[in-house]
Amino acid sequence: MQHLLADFADRRDWGRFHTPKNLAMALAGEAGELAAEFQWLDPEESARVMADPAKAAAVRLEMADVLSYLLRLADVLDVDLEAALREKVAINETRFPADG
């Protein structure tokens, strides 16, 4: 996915705009747009959001925007997201041990 996005950006000469700061700000903005899709919904409505085709499409597209900016940021900063996630889960295993 990172190669797909890098190629897309390269073909448009967007690399000069894809600085860590700009990508982090864009990621935050897109996360806000995703949150807006759930604003004012009660818990039950939010759980059923994907049942409405129009809302489902909007949620999917906002999720894709969030993912694309996160992947671009990881690419620009040379962060292995899988390794970072595994490290974070290991940390959380000690912070929040499972009962039993």
Side-chain angles (χ1 to χ4, degrees), residues 2-3 18 21 28 50-51 64 73 80-81 85 90 93:
Q2 285 173 283
H3 294 293
H18 286 189
K21 177 196 74 78
M50 299 308 281
L73 181 59
D80 179 336
L81 284 174
L85 177 61
E93 286 286 351

Side-chain angles (χ1 to χ4, degrees), residues 37-93:
E37 294 297 329
F38 294 90
Q39 189 172 10
W40 312 122
L41 300 181
D42 64 35
E44 293 79 23
E45 290 170 328
S46 70
R48 294 189 312 269
V49 73
M50 299 308 281
D52 176 338
K55 278 297 248 189
V59 168
R60 277 193 309 273
L61 292 175
E62 293 305 338
M63 290 177 74
D65 285 341
V66 169
L67 179 59
S68 66
Y69 280 117
L70 179 61
L71 290 170
R72 281 298 293 146
L73 181 59
D75 194 33
V76 166
L77 293 176
D78 197 27
V79 170
D80 179 336
L81 284 174
E82 183 179 356
L85 177 61
R86 290 181 186 283
E87 178 183 7
K88 183 63 175 183
V89 169
I91 290 167
N92 286 343
E93 286 286 351

Side-chain angles (χ1 to χ4, degrees), residues 4-15:
L4 173 71
L5 294 167
D7 180 60
F8 183 87
D10 288 345
R11 287 185 290 117
R12 288 155 181 81
D13 195 28
W14 287 353

